[in-house]
Amino acid sequence: MEYDVAIIGAGPAGLSAAIYAARGGLKTVVFENALVGGQIVVTQDVENYPGFEESVSGYDITEKMHTQAKKFDAEFRTEEVKAIGLEGFCKIIETNKNTYRAKSVILATGAHPRKLQVPGEERLTGRGVSYCATCDGALYRGKTVAVIGGGDSAVEEALFLTRFAKKVYIIHRRNELRAVQIAQQRAFANDKIEIIWDSVIQDISGTDAVESITLFNRTTETVSKLDVDGVFIYVGIIPNNGLLKSRVPCDDQGFIFTDETCHTNIPGIYAAGDIIHKVLRQVVTAVADGAIAAFSAEKWIVENEAQFIDTNLTIDSLPEA
């Protein structure tokens, strides 16, 4: 099976790329082995997406994008991409079900939550340890929870948890938050939220579910125990770069470097969304990345059509997968 552009990942960046590529007349396929929409699907209230006066759910935003992409004949396949190979100017995409060929590839695989790597975290994941307040917050109605982190995600999810929990602790390793000012102001004004500064978790305890956490104060160098029913962890994200990390330049955290067209160092391979090196990771920036990548891929294909012909690697001339 042959395509002009193969998009790996169906989060906001991948969906935006699919819309622009398919609408631009490119034969487009999108691979996604989980939920179409990516991590934003589980966010109940998106308040900063342009054009929506009232908050809108992540699911609603991405479902409309999914429908729009399909309207322009983008194909969606529920398959896990295992490897990307190169055959001259042709890209070979191997999935858990089939092998595909494409002139260009847009990598929009996103990122996943960073773990604390402390005792009890892995054992109690799903039994009090969570990385998604929107997914699990309702389970803690009338209970006490701790949110780990001080950035936008941590503070915004702590505020969300106050809808259910009777008490929300924000545990932060520094003495000031890193979240945007409006989120900080809301947290400081919420009487359900208490911030514990200069502290890190040493241990998450519980027999069948989370019962307490052990904290170490970095300033006083004291250890204390805090009884909680749940722990929500927001200490950063790790890029899902396994398909290309050995072949493309990345920053020290593994995010892929691209140029202003979202082009990687490999001809015809682009990257967009949370996986790339940039200053802001939001739905609106992911959507912009996807549009740029698709537009750039279309131009690249047109500009290099002679290369496909000269190397006998036009899409039409390739053997069946």
Side-chain angles (χ1 to χ4, degrees):
M1 287 170 273
E2 303 90 28
Y3 296 89
D4 291 322
V5 59
I7 300 166
I8 304 173
L15 291 170
S16 175
I19 292 168
Y20 272 76
R23 186 175 182 272
L26 300 180
K27 187 177 181 182
T28 303
V29 63
V30 183
F31 298 102
E32 175 57 67
N33 69 327
L35 287 174
V36 169
Q39 293 188 61
I40 193 64
V41 167
V42 299
T43 300
Q44 182 172 330
D45 294 315
V46 178
E47 294 183 314
N48 57 357
Y49 194 77
F52 293 89
E53 184 178 355
E54 302 295 331
S55 63
V56 60
S57 73
Y59 174 83
D60 286 340
I61 292 174
T62 53
E63 181 57 27
K64 290 181 183 298
M65 293 172 67
H66 185 200
T67 300
Q68 189 176 7
K70 290 190 293 184
K71 185 185 86 168
F72 293 122
D73 295 326
E75 297 180 28
F76 286 80
R77 295 184 178 274
T78 306
E79 300 178 29
E80 181 182 1
V81 175
K82 296 291 190 179
I84 301 173
L86 303 176
E87 186 179 293
F89 265 63
C90 182
K91 316 300 182 289
I92 313 300
I93 300 97
E94 296 181 4
T95 77
N96 60 331
K97 296 181 181 179
N98 214 326
T99 299
Y100 303 84
R101 292 171 170 82
K103 290 182 178 179
S104 63
V105 170
I106 298 174
L107 196 69
T109 48
H112 62 276
R114 184 182 299 279
K115 295 187 177 182
L116 289 173
Q117 303 295 343
V118 298
E121 178 182 14
E122 183 174 354
R123 180 174 62 85
L124 293 170
T125 293
R127 293 186 290 171
V129 173
S130 175
Y131 304 88
C132 177
T134 307
C135 308
D136 301 327
L139 300 174
Y140 296 89
R141 194 177 301 276
K143 297 184 178 181
T144 299
V145 299
V147 172
I148 316 303
D152 290 340
S153 295
V155 176
E156 289 169 4
E157 298 296 74
L159 287 164
F160 175 79
L161 286 165
T162 61
R163 300 182 185 184
F164 309 101
K166 66 179 181 181
K167 182 74 173 183
V168 178
Y169 292 99
I170 296 178
I171 315 295
H172 189 38
R173 62 183 296 116
R174 299 181 177 88
N175 60 4
E176 60 181 5
L177 299 174
R178 294 178 291 109
V180 296
Q181 284 299 314
I182 189 170
Q184 290 193 41
Q185 292 167 7
R186 290 175 179 173
F188 293 143
N190 194 309
D191 58 9
K192 284 189 175 183
I193 293 178
E194 180 179 338
I195 303 175
I196 299 178
W197 304 105
D198 301 314
S199 297
V200 295
I201 286 191
Q202 289 188 327
D203 179 81
I204 302 173
S205 301
T207 303
D208 297 317
V210 170
E211 298 172 4
S212 66
I213 56 178
T214 302
L215 301 177
F216 174 74
N217 187 291
R218 302 169 68 213
T219 301
T220 64
E221 296 187 349
T222 56
V223 176
S224 62
K225 179 181 175 181
L226 184 67
D227 291 334
V228 296
D229 302 294
V231 181
F232 291 82
I233 300 170
Y234 300 95
V235 292
I237 58 174
I238 299 173
N240 299 323
N241 62 8
L243 290 171
L244 287 178
K245 66 179 179 181
S246 63
R247 291 183 282 171
V248 296
C250 301
D251 64 20
D252 57 2
Q253 293 181 301
F255 294 97
I256 296 172
F257 284 115
T258 65
D259 64 16
E260 67 275 9
T261 70
C262 290
H263 210 164
T264 70
N265 64 316
I266 303 175
I269 293 187
Y270 297 79
D274 283 358
I275 195 172
I276 69 173
H277 173 85
K278 57 181 181 176
V279 298
L280 181 64
R281 292 183 175 84
Q282 296 282 293
V283 179
V284 68
T285 62
V287 167
D289 294 339
I292 292 169
F295 173 79
S296 303
E298 180 184 359
K299 287 189 64 177
W300 183 86
I301 290 171
V302 171
E303 291 169 358
N304 289 279
E305 193 64 42
Q307 295 284 352
F308 288 98
I309 295 172
D310 290 345
T311 56
N312 197 32
L313 284 172
T314 59
I315 291 296
D316 291 339
S317 69
L318 290 170
E320 288 295 326

